[in-house]
């Protein structure tokens, strides 16, 4: 990948890393209520995939969704307000970390129900096809969703109707506190996708250039109307399942070795080999960190939502049944 193509990806990866580190610290400091699931170590996947999406394309996410939202173009100021439950957040301060959504950039939302974000993506892809729109939908999900029924239903529906959806399995090797390989029968997600006839490929999720290349190939194919595809991107979750999980169930030596695959450092080495100076790359990192700190300060200064907003933007079940 050429330097002008790689450098913007590095900037976004640094922005995601800075946001996630700040969010985790804010949670531990008691400034964020509710769980925070950090995306540290998986940045190359969201960035490599979203680099090929248009503003009008859609993505869906799961509980570890901050990186996807940032890569798709969501503003970190509004996102930080959402995490802190403040007015002006992406969901008015009412959704929090696990429900980040920003329809203005095609981010259909994070989801705490394992695999349900995938069914949302397939529903969006069905609408796209019915309306004959020129959009692609990407469904990000973790390896913990591999054995969930809704995922297989989504695969089946997407393939039957040749829907414009790219499934992206972010395999960080752990589902909550258990190694996914310990409770996954058979050959995993690739075998499951192939059983439905879905074209798929397993890749190194720590290499943003590889993620970008394979994503670009599949997204181009999907735009041509050739139906769904799947990417199995293997990475590593640096921290515990959520910010207050110390990850003591992981082998310390294996954990240390896994951290050596840091996607940001890998990208940095590639940029250095193409002529970027260490000082320029350090400047990008510091710029992204300062940007996030500003967003955090502004979020902390923002007011809490007015109490009456708790009753807005909700579904009135009684009204639905009465109709």
């Amino acid at each position: 990948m050429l330097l002008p193509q790689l450098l913007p990806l590095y900037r976004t990866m640094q922005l995601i890393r800075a946001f996630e580190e700040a969010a985790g610290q804010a949670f531990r400091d008691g400034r964020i209520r509710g769980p925070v699931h950090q995306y540290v170590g998986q940045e190359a996947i969201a960035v490599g995939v979203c680099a090929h999406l248009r503003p009008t394309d859609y993505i869906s996410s799961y509980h570890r969704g901050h990186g996807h939202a940032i890569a798709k173009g969501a503003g970190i100021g509004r996102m930080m307000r959402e995490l802190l439950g403040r007015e002006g957040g992406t969901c008015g301060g009412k959704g929090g970390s696990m429900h980040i959504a920003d329809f203005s950039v095609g981010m259909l939302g994070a989801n705490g129900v394992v695999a349900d974000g995938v069914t949302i993506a397939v529903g969006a892809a069905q609408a796209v096809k019915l309306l004959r729109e020129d959009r692609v939908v990407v469904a990000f999900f973790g390896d913990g969703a591999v054995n969930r029924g809704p995922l297989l239903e989504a695969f089946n529906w997407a393939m039957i109707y040749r829907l414009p959806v790219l499934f992206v399995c972010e395999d960080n090797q752990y589902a909550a506190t258990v190694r996914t390989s310990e409770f996954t029968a058979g050959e995993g997600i690739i075998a499951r996708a192939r059983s439905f006839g879905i074209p798929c490929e397993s890749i190194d999720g720590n290499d943003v250039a590889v993620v970008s290349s394979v994503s670009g190939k599949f997204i181009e194919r999907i735009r041509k109307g050739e139906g769904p595809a799947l990417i199995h991107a293997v990475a590593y979750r640096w921290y515990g399942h959520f910010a207050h999980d110390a990850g003591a169930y992981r082998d310390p030596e294996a954990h240390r070795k896994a951290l050596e695959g840091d996607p940001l450092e890998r990208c940095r080495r590639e940029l250095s080999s193409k002529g970027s100076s260490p000082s320029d790359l350090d400047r990008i990192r510091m710029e992204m960190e300062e940007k996030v700190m500003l967003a955090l300060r502004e979020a902390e200064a923002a007011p809490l939502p007015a109490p009456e907003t708790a009753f807005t933007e909700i579904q009135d079940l009684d009204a639905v049944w009465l109709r």
Side-chain angles (χ1 to χ4, degrees), residues 90-319:
T90 55
C91 298
K94 297 188 288 185
S97 170
M98 279 208 299
H99 302 98
I100 290 288
D102 188 346
F103 289 4
S104 71
V105 297
M107 168 50 163
L108 301 180
N111 195 310
V113 181
V114 178
D116 270 14
V118 180
T119 61
I120 290 171
V122 168
Q126 182 78 72
V128 166
K129 184 153 188 174
L130 288 171
L131 295 171
R132 299 182 181 179
E133 296 176 335
D134 182 15
R135 302 179 195 255
V136 167
V137 185
V138 175
F140 291 101
F141 61 97
D143 44 304
V146 169
N147 302 310
R148 299 283 294 175
L151 181 72
L152 303 182
E153 292 176 358
F155 283 178
N156 188 62
W157 192 273
M159 196 59 189
I160 286 174
Y161 291 100
R162 301 285 172 175
L163 299 182
V165 58
L166 174 64
F167 299 104
V168 180
C169 177
E170 300 188 324
D171 187 350
N172 64 27
Q173 304 174 54
Y174 281 86
T177 60
V178 183
R179 287 194 67 91
T180 314
S181 59
E182 294 177 6
F183 63 85
T184 300
E187 298 178 27
I189 189 65
I190 289 291
R192 285 157 172 71
R194 284 177 178 156
S195 72
F196 289 94
I198 298 175
C200 51
E201 190 168 338
S202 187
I203 63 174
D204 181 355
N206 288 324
D207 190 330
V208 70
V210 168
V211 176
S212 176
S213 175
V214 175
S215 300
K217 174 186 69 175
F218 277 140
I219 289 172
E220 181 180 4
R221 177 185 177 280
I222 291 168
R223 287 198 194 281
K224 291 178 181 177
E226 296 180 24
L230 178 139
I231 292 174
H232 171 230
V234 181
Y236 186 73
R237 188 188 76 201
W238 278 32
Y239 300 130
H241 179 54
F242 30 65
H244 59 281
D245 172 14
Y249 43 84
R250 300 192 289 199
D251 176 70
E253 180 57 26
H255 177 67
R256 183 199 61 76
K257 187 173 181 180
L259 296 186
E260 294 175 359
D262 182 359
L264 272 67
E265 283 302 314
R266 194 162 176 175
C267 186
R268 182 187 175 100
R269 289 195 296 270
E270 182 67 16
L271 286 166
S272 296
S273 72
K274 296 181 183 300
S276 290
S277 69
S279 60
D280 285 342
L281 298 177
D282 287 341
R283 192 175 300 112
I284 290 173
R285 175 181 55 79
M286 290 186 289
E287 179 187 337
M288 297 301 104
E289 290 173 352
E290 290 171 4
K291 187 174 180 179
V292 168
M293 286 299 103
L294 175 61
L296 180 57
R297 289 194 297 271
E298 291 180 344
E300 290 180 313
L304 293 169
E308 57 269 23
T309 63
F311 300 98
T312 63
E313 299 171 314
I314 59 174
Q315 186 178 43
D316 186 339
L317 294 179
D318 288 337

Side-chain angles (χ1 to χ4, degrees), residues 12 14-20 22 66-67 69-71 73-84 88-90 100 102 287-299:
T12 306
Q14 285 288 5
L15 180 59
I16 294 172
R17 175 69 58 89
F19 186 93
E20 293 295 66
H66 306 158
I70 292 171
I76 62 167
R78 294 183 66 219
M79 285 180 61
M80 196 62 82
R81 287 187 179 213
E82 188 62 35
L83 265 63
L84 270 65
T90 55
I100 290 288
D102 188 346
E287 179 187 337
M288 297 301 104
E289 290 173 352
E290 290 171 4
K291 187 174 180 179
V292 168
M293 286 299 103
L294 175 61
L296 180 57
R297 289 194 297 271
E298 291 180 344

